[in-house]
Amino acid sequence: MPARYWLFKSEPSSYSLDDLIRDGVAEWDGVRNYQARNSLRDDVKAGDGVLFYHSSTDPIAVVGTATVMRGGYPDHTAWDPRSKHPDPKSSPDNPIWYMVDLRAAERFRNPVTMDTLRANAAVSDMLVLRRGMRLSIQPVTTAQWKVVRAMGRPQAV
DNA sequence: GCCAACGTTGGC
DNA sequence: GCCAACGTTGGC
């Protein structure tokens, strides 16, 4: 199975690409949306590529890439009452939420903004550009991955 | 800070 | 199971 590609959203004020670079391998925890959970649990695999997207900031942009180091496994922060996103319905025996491990791979010399994405016909149909699209874990096609990455002029981190 | 577009919750 | 109220996301 060839690697798949994804777009992960993050608000840089809460967790930025630089934070991920600093942390090395990081647990992508706290996802509490069922559709995103299903992707994490079933489809995001070690070796997959991630477009790292900064939301709720200026400029909103894809700022780099990351690599999935470990595929979906239970999000243990859900049953930790002191975590940021506790869910009392989740337990080790019956986990509801899942996470993956990420490592930063590249930083873009040219962060690719929403305007840039919209203006490029090859990627203007990306889910992230859709009005009202709040999903924080989105699939990206191989073609979209290639185009966005090339536009970003990636530099290994 | 506004608010549209969702997703979730809970009374019935 | 409906749906109004509520909470959240996230671009603007």
Side-chain angles (χ1 to χ4, degrees):
Chain A
M1 183 64 124
R4 299 191 212 196
Y5 299 102
W6 306 93
L7 180 146
F8 280 31
K9 291 183 191 172
S10 189
E11 298 193 14
S13 60
S14 100
Y15 199 80
S16 69
L17 179 63
D18 282 339
D19 292 331
L20 183 59
I21 291 168
R22 177 200 64 207
D23 290 346
V25 176
E27 296 179 339
W28 203 256
D29 62 12
V31 174
R32 298 290 181 268
N33 167 281
Y34 283 102
Q35 198 177 342
R37 185 282 308 267
N38 291 346
S39 292
L40 291 176
R41 186 189 58 193
D42 303 334
D43 297 325
V44 181
K45 306 293 187 191
D48 286 0
V50 172
L51 296 175
F52 201 96
Y53 174 93
H54 278 176
S55 64
S56 297
T57 187
D58 190 14
I60 296 161
V62 179
V63 294
T65 67
T67 305
V68 178
M69 305 306 289
R70 181 180 176 188
Y73 63 104
D75 181 347
H76 56 79
T77 70
W79 55 78
D80 176 357
R82 291 157 307 173
S83 79
K84 283 184 180 167
H85 306 281
D87 181 352
K89 295 190 295 299
S90 188
S91 67
D93 285 343
N94 188 21
I96 297 175
W97 305 110
Y98 282 74
M99 62 185 181
V100 300
D101 289 353
L102 286 189
R103 182 199 289 278
E106 300 163 324
R107 182 190 273 118
F108 285 174
R109 297 182 183 87
N110 280 355
V112 182
T113 64
M114 294 198 79
D115 285 348
T116 307
L117 293 174
R118 260 192 279 266
N120 188 316
V123 292
S124 59
D125 59 346
M126 284 178 70
L127 292 177
V128 73
L129 297 177
R130 264 191 220 167
R131 177 177 165 68
M133 171 50 76
R134 304 187 309 183
L135 191 61
S136 63
I137 309 279
Q138 303 178 3
V140 166
T141 67
T142 304
Q144 290 165 347
W145 162 268
K146 285 180 178 168
V147 171
V148 172
R149 199 168 153 270
M151 286 194 291
R153 297 204 303 124
Q155 182 168 43
V157 295

